[in-house]
Amino acid sequence: RGRRTASTSAGSAAAMHMLGAHAACVAGPARRRHPTTPPTSPHCLTHRPRRPPYTKGCAEIRWLAEKMGARGATLSGPAGLGDIILTCYGSLSRNRSVGVRLGRGEPLADILGSSHQVAEGVATAGVVVGLARKYRVQLPVLTAVAQILDGHISAREAVFELMNLPQVDE
């Protein structure tokens, strides 16, 4: 049981990091906002949209793992948080690479066809959403990742939807 929970959490982390990379790509380079540009305009996004998917996704991973019997502290240690940080920010992260390319508008099939390595988040995103249903845990960030990968919404749409969700205690 412990091993399954740990691997599911790692898969959740991998899937979640794709959305963070999407947010980074959707945000693009920092831009100054014109005083008449509404706050929800894509032109006012800066690098800040990266943080909410990462931090919220980390909380979601913890919620699911705890419901499945894991200790939340396990996810805060080197194996949990260390992996998350490396996957989020590491230039060699396969999941981040897939997310950045999806955020740029490349079709998933083309991305997967051009890679000789496995980005485990692609395969685990749907599994995580299924586990969330089973354990009755709401995971908006991880669900958004699965919806992007399934072609139901774009990365841009997911980021804007997530940015408009009400804040909850984590």
Side-chain angles (χ1 to χ4, degrees), residues 31-38 43-44:
R31 298 182 185 109
R32 289 187 156 240
R33 184 169 70 88
H34 189 273
T36 60
T37 303
H43 299 293
C44 71

Side-chain angles (χ1 to χ4, degrees), residues 6-95:
S7 66
T8 302
S9 298
S12 301
M16 182 268 300
H17 300 308
M18 286 187 202
L19 188 61
H22 294 309
C25 192
V26 168
R31 298 182 185 109
R32 289 187 156 240
R33 184 169 70 88
H34 189 273
T36 60
T37 303
T40 57
S41 165
H43 299 293
C44 71
L45 287 176
T46 66
H47 63 282
R48 289 189 183 139
R50 294 179 200 182
R51 289 189 309 224
Y54 291 145
T55 56
K56 177 73 171 167
C58 288
E60 290 180 13
I61 292 166
R62 188 183 71 249
W63 297 337
L64 179 59
E66 287 174 345
K67 278 284 200 168
M68 294 175 67
R71 292 181 315 147
T74 302
L75 300 172
S76 299
L81 190 57
D83 181 60
I84 289 170
I85 290 170
L86 187 58
T87 304
C88 289
Y89 300 107
S91 62
L92 298 177
S93 168
R94 298 178 305 260
N95 291 301

